[in-house]
């Protein structure tokens, strides 16, 4: 495990030695990994670090190593979405977030494992095999950004980027005991993010602490004309790093503490809310009555969009191409051989939901429910500053425990998908343990009010030590 796990310590180490030495230390740590978190280590990383040293460490992230999820395009570096159908694909361009990271002087360490095309809650459906949770190698790291969370928890990278379609940054952050932020929809350009469900997904950072999350947001957030959903709105996220929640009003939705919640998870979250009271905040119960419909609505919308977005992968332009006597046979065989079981399941269900005769019955109804869920958030957040709830209803489960039961896996997302439907920001911070496994507290805010949830998370972190505990396997 590298000795430095946050940006501040790494900057000091670079000043004392070099970016090259820091990058080499992380690559050495990755080489000893037991968690299968990286799919590719970028062979140019050392040369980039050496060049940063020779240029005098210019840029706010000069020499800082960062890991990137497999579905974010990186010029000259393999980008496969952990799917056989994209094996061998090397993008000719960088995603917007990668351009910004490079301009800031960051060193791209490599790509991290994920559920195939970001469809999953456990990082077990990758063509590279599962990633293992550093806290317990028999358990999942969460998904779909499981690799991005696990490598940060294991000290193989100080920070990483993931993508969050229905909780895919916050779920692995909670399971691996790190901090993960899903920003407001439109806050970060999705140019270069390979789409699964484009009206729901958002790139988000993971790190060991809230300050690093704010620092990365200062670099990667902002307007991009190449993404029609990008919002032109200036913000400095690091301005929110203040230890002050006096007078803050917290809403606690009953619906997020429903049937099936683990008692240790529930206790950790209520203890955290109690800590906020000690720091000067107050809380009140709020009702979000359409939460019970959010999961079904989410999966209909996500699968419908997936069936459309993944139509482009037919063997003609990218990655795998099977033999066939004509285009129809070639495309059919390519998709049959290239896509995994979960991807095929979601494409079929999404195509069915969009088909003639069923569009109004399923897809249109799901969109109407989405509006009701959004209205729940508007009403609840009209009277409070933030909402608080468990990120996940239970701690990380065993590898293989739910992979044959997709419905059970979908139910795991019950506390995270409503925020993607509503487009509101949400951050998961470590708040305790269930047995030996980390528990995440989810702090939810109004649209484009990331600074309030960052301030709440930062204050909690300054007054507790949950975030400072590291997995025994790599300590």
């Amino acid at each position: 495990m590298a000795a430095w796990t946050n940006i501040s310590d790494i900057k000091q180490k670079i000043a004392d030695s070099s970016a090259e030495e820091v990058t080499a230390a992380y690559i050495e740590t990755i080489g000893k990994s037991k968690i299968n978190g990286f799919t590719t280590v970028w062979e140019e990383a050392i040369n980039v670090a050496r060049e940063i040293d020779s240029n005098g460490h210019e840029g706010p992230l000069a020499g800082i190593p960062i890991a990137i999820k497999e579905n974010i395009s990186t010029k000259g570096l393999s980008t496969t979405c952990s799917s056989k159908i994209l094996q061998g694909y090397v993008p000719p361009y960088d995603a917007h977030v990668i351009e910004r990271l490079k301009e800031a002087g960051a060193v791209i360490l490599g790509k991290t494992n994920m559920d195939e095309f970001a469809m999953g809650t456990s990082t077990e459906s990758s063509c590279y095999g599962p990633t293992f949770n550093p806290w317990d190698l028999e358990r999942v790291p969460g998904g779909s950004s499981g690799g991005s969370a696990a490598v940060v928890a294991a000290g193989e990278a100080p920070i990483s980027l993931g993508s969050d379609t229905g909780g895919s940054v916050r779920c692995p952050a909670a399971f691996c005991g790190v901090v993960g932020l899903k920003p407001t929809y439109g806050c970060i350009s999705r140019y270069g993010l390979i789409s699964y469900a484009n009206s729901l997904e958002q790139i988000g950072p993971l790190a060991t602490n809230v300050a690093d999350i704010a620092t990365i947001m200062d670099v990667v957030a902002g307007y991009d004309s190449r993404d029609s959903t990008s919002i032109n709105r200036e913000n400095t996220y690091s301005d929110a790093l203040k230890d002050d929640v006096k007078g803050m009003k917290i809403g606690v939705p009953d619906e997020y503490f429903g049937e099936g919640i683990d008692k240790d998870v529930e206790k950790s979250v209520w203890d955290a809310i109690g800590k906020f009271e000690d720091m000067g905040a107050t809380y009140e119960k709020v009702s979000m009555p359409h939460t019970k419909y959010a999961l079904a609505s989410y999966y209909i919308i996500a699968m419908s969009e997936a069936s459309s977005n993944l139509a482009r992968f037919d063997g003609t332009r990218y990655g795998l191409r099977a033999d066939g006597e004509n285009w129809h046979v070639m495309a059919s065989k390519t998709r049959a051989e290239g896509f995994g079981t979960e991807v095929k399941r979601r494409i079929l269900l999404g195509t069915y939901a969009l088909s003639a005769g069923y569009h109004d019955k399923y897809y249109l109804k799901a969109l109407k429910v989405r509006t009701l869920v959004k209205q729940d958030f508007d009403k609840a957040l009209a009277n409070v500053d933030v909402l608080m709830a468990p990120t996940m209803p239970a701690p990380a489960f065993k590898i293989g425990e739910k992979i044959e039961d997709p419905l059970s896996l979908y139910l795991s997302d019950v506390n995270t998908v409503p925020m993607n439907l509503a487009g509101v920001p949400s951050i998961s911070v470590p708040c305790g343990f269930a047995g030996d496994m980390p528990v995440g507290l989810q702090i939810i805010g109004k649209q484009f009010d990331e600074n309030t949830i960052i301030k709440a998370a930062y204050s909690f972190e300054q007054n507790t030590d949950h975030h400072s505990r590291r997995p025994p396997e790599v300590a």
Side-chain angles (χ1 to χ4, degrees):
M1 181 180 186
W4 332 283
T5 57
N6 61 68
I7 291 175
S8 177
D9 287 350
I10 293 172
K11 284 186 173 180
Q12 184 59 53
K13 178 61 181 177
I14 290 172
D16 294 341
S17 56
S18 67
E20 180 181 351
E21 186 174 324
V22 167
T23 300
Y26 276 105
I27 291 176
E28 182 182 356
T29 302
I30 296 166
K32 299 174 183 175
S33 178
K34 299 177 181 178
I35 61 169
N36 194 32
F38 276 92
T39 58
T40 309
V41 176
W42 195 27
E43 58 188 19
E44 281 296 306
I46 287 289
N47 291 334
V48 171
R50 195 173 293 145
E51 187 175 343
I52 289 168
D53 285 331
S54 64
N55 289 339
H57 305 143
E58 294 182 359
L61 295 178
I64 303 297
I66 184 167
I68 307 296
K69 190 176 179 179
E70 264 285 348
N71 60 350
I72 298 174
S73 296
T74 42
K75 184 178 181 180
L77 183 58
S78 175
T79 302
T80 67
C81 292
S82 292
S83 176
K84 285 182 182 176
I85 207 164
L86 274 177
Q87 283 195 324
Y89 172 62
V90 179
Y93 69 102
D94 278 328
H96 177 77
V97 289
I98 303 301
E99 291 173 345
R100 289 207 163 192
L101 287 170
K102 287 182 176 178
E103 287 169 6
V107 177
I108 308 300
L109 277 177
K111 306 304 280 287
T112 55
N113 206 5
M114 57 183 277
D115 281 304
E116 185 180 7
F117 279 101
M119 299 178 186
T121 310
S122 62
T123 311
E124 292 175 283
S125 67
S126 164
C127 70
Y128 300 104
T131 293
F132 306 102
N133 193 314
W135 291 89
D136 181 346
L137 297 179
E138 293 185 354
R139 294 181 185 268
V140 303
S144 64
S145 307
S148 293
V151 299
V152 171
E156 296 174 17
I159 45 178
S160 65
L161 288 185
S163 66
D164 192 314
T165 311
S168 295
V169 164
R170 292 160 288 156
C171 163
F175 280 4
C176 293
V178 298
V179 184
L181 171 68
K182 185 206 88 69
T184 303
Y185 186 76
C187 213
I188 297 176
S189 170
R190 290 181 298 107
Y191 175 77
L193 172 67
I194 298 176
S195 278
Y196 151 36
N198 47 287
S199 79
L200 300 163
E201 63 204 3
Q202 183 70 100
I203 293 172
L206 297 111
T208 58
N209 64 88
V210 177
D212 287 359
I213 294 286
T215 300
I216 296 301
M217 286 295 293
D218 284 343
V219 171
V220 300
Y223 179 66
D224 176 18
S225 61
R226 296 166 297 187
D227 176 2
S228 62
T229 62
S230 176
I231 304 297
N232 193 355
R233 193 182 182 106
E234 295 294 326
N235 189 20
T236 304
Y237 300 88
S238 52
D239 286 349
L241 299 176
K242 298 171 183 172
D243 181 9
D244 180 14
V245 293
K246 286 179 183 173
M248 180 176 281
K249 294 181 179 178
I250 299 166
V252 181
D254 273 337
E255 292 81 358
Y256 287 76
F257 294 81
E259 185 180 350
I261 188 170
D262 180 274
K263 61 178 176 33
D264 289 335
V265 169
E266 185 172 12
K267 181 179 185 306
S268 293
V269 171
W270 276 113
D271 286 348
I273 294 169
K275 185 66 182 177
F276 274 95
E277 283 191 296
D278 295 342
M279 295 188 293
T282 58
Y283 86 88
E284 62 184 76
K285 295 282 190 74
V286 298
S287 177
M288 304 183 72
H290 298 99
T291 300
K292 58 186 174 185
Y293 307 118
L295 197 66
S297 168
Y298 166 82
Y299 273 102
I300 289 172
I301 294 170
M303 292 178 185
S304 298
E305 293 185 8
S307 74
S308 173
N309 284 321
L310 270 60
R312 75 190 71 176
F313 301 110
D314 57 7
T316 305
R317 289 156 293 188
Y318 316 101
L320 180 70
R321 182 188 181 102
D323 292 331
E325 59 268 29
N326 56 48
W327 182 89
H328 297 285
V329 175
M330 181 277 292
S332 178
K333 288 176 67 176
T334 296
R335 290 168 69 84
E337 294 174 14
F339 287 136
T341 302
E342 183 59 30
V343 174
K344 290 174 183 171
R345 179 184 294 120
R346 297 194 188 201
I347 290 174
L348 287 170
L349 289 170
T351 303
Y352 179 77
L354 290 176
S355 60
Y358 295 99
H359 175 277
D360 290 359
K361 185 176 182 181
Y362 296 114
Y363 185 65
L364 184 59
K365 188 174 288 185
L367 292 179
K368 291 178 178 176
V369 170
R370 181 180 194 165
T371 300
L372 296 174
V373 171
K374 170 70 168 55
Q375 290 172 351
D376 275 356
F377 279 98
D378 291 343
K379 290 176 184 174
L381 287 164
N383 300 314
V384 298
D385 297 301
V386 297
L387 301 172
M388 291 189 187
T391 306
M392 299 299 290
F397 46 86
K398 292 284 185 70
I399 288 176
E401 185 179 329
K402 297 186 178 184
I403 194 67
E404 301 300 331
D405 183 3
L407 187 59
S408 174
L409 271 178
Y410 300 164
L411 290 171
S412 300
D413 299 336
V414 65
N415 278 10
T416 52
V417 299
M419 298 77 192
N420 297 78
L421 289 173
V424 296
S426 173
I427 191 169
S428 179
V429 292
C431 72
F433 287 81
D436 295 326
M437 300 306 295
V439 173
L441 168 69
Q442 189 170 203
I443 307 173
I444 307 136
K446 303 177 179 74
Q447 284 187 323
F448 301 107
D449 193 18
E450 275 82 358
N451 283 23
T452 299
I453 62 172
I454 287 173
K455 184 169 76 169
Y458 180 76
S459 297
F460 182 70
E461 201 176 75
Q462 295 303 301
N463 291 278
T464 57
D465 63 356
H466 306 297
H467 67 288
S468 64
R469 292 179 59 179
R470 303 262 60 87
E473 186 68 30
V474 293

